[in-house]
Amino acid sequence: MTPSPPPYVQGHGLLAGRSAVVTAAAGAGIGGATARRLLEEGARVVLSDAHARRLKEYEAELAAEFGADKVAALPCDVTDEAQVAALLDLVEERHGRLDVVVNNAGLGGTADLVDMTDEQWDKVLDVTLGGTFRCTRAALRRMKAAATGGVVVNNASVVGWRAQRGQAHYAAAKAGVMALTRCAALEAAAYGVRVNAVSPSLAIHPHLVKVTTPELLAELTSREAFGRYAEPWEVANAVVFLASDYSSYLTGEVLSVSSQHP
């Protein structure tokens, strides 16, 4: 019998009055759960995603629940610097300031290294690491100029620490996200901005199920100490913590959101 997740944690206004943006936020995964949790904690949220139709649908859903003044959306390809700039411009235009950036966009895939093409390698690295770099750079430029502080939270992965067959490109990208987080944090501390990351192990959602075999999901789940995978909102809770004042003395940290054991 698969253990049940804990009860859903209700919001406590931890981000009241803050303005946030979340990439890859259209749907049932960590990004979508994070957008919802930020809204539940009182933030105003701009969603982005490369999938325009799903993004529009999720924007409408959240706007109906939290109010149209609290939710906006703009399609964004994080490999395109101009689109990244337009996304952050929208936050500032609607809300006057940029307080929280959650870099959730990433791209996976499975291929043994001997079979991996340059195109597969480049695409995963460009979206997962390059996209995080572009969004972080754009955010820090604005936050430094505004001199009002701010928070960046990146989405890494336990595969940045632990080997998994067929994941050389994704693991390299996520390890890069961890290193980028630490270096950016040292630079951004000088102007009052914190940069941290979460590192989930296994958070199941419908899109992941579509591209992963049941055998692999069962194997990964068996490694978890709780005997179950994480709900996306459980990872989002850690993002909220890092975005909130409860983590005011944390920067350059990679917070493992995992019960996985070796």
Side-chain angles (χ1 to χ4, degrees):
M1 183 176 179
T2 303
S4 299
Y8 192 82
V9 180
Q10 301 305 312
H12 292 79
L14 299 180
L15 300 172
R18 311 281 175 90
S19 298
V21 62
V22 185
T23 64
I30 292 171
T34 297
R36 175 175 291 279
R37 292 300 288 137
L38 295 177
L39 287 161
E40 290 170 345
E41 294 294 346
R44 298 163 297 184
V45 178
V46 174
L47 319 171
S48 82
D49 203 283
H51 299 279
R53 178 187 57 79
R54 292 210 309 257
L55 180 64
K56 185 176 182 179
E57 291 172 351
Y58 198 47
E59 177 192 13
E61 177 184 333
L62 293 178
E65 186 172 346
F66 296 96
D69 61 322
K70 289 290 191 73
V71 184
L74 184 69
C76 179
D77 177 354
V78 296
T79 68
D80 186 320
E81 184 176 0
Q83 292 189 40
V84 170
L87 176 64
L88 299 190
D89 286 345
L90 177 61
V91 183
E92 294 178 327
E93 289 166 9
R94 284 185 63 103
H95 305 304
R97 56 184 289 164
L98 175 65
D99 298 306
V100 178
V101 174
V102 181
N103 290 315
N104 177 65
L107 181 67
T110 300
D112 284 354
L113 196 62
V114 293
D115 302 317
M116 191 177 295
T117 66
D118 284 5
E119 182 181 13
Q120 287 174 304
W121 174 271
D122 290 343
K123 190 172 183 179
V124 169
L125 267 289
D126 196 22
V127 173
T128 307
L129 178 56
T132 301
F133 156 69
R134 293 180 194 92
C135 293
T136 300
R137 177 179 61 185
L140 293 186
R141 285 173 174 171
R142 285 166 167 76
M143 291 173 175
K144 182 178 182 180
T148 55
V151 179
V152 176
V153 183
N154 297 323
N155 191 359
S157 169
V158 293
V159 298
W161 285 315
R162 303 165 182 166
Q164 184 175 320
R165 180 171 179 166
Q167 297 294 309
H169 45 2
Y170 187 69
K174 290 300 190 179
V177 168
M178 294 177 182
L180 171 65
T181 297
R182 290 188 287 265
C183 292
L186 286 179
E187 298 174 13
Y191 41 93
V193 175
R194 297 186 294 108
V195 186
N196 292 292
V198 293
S199 179
S201 53
L202 184 62
I204 296 293
H205 53 86
H207 302 310
L208 178 62
V209 171
K210 289 179 182 177
V211 298
T212 310
T213 66
E215 294 76 18
L216 179 57
L217 289 178
E219 178 190 344
L220 295 174
T221 301
S222 70
R223 300 178 187 175
E224 300 292 329
F226 292 134
R228 65 173 179 87
Y229 49 79
E231 298 293 330
W233 61 262
E234 293 182 286
V235 180
N237 284 346
V239 174
V240 166
F241 165 70
L242 291 175
S244 77
D245 292 340
Y246 278 111
S247 61
S248 59
Y249 202 66
L250 272 69
T251 197
E253 296 293 338
V254 180
L255 180 61
S256 178
V257 188
S258 169
S259 70
Q260 191 175 110
H261 53 87

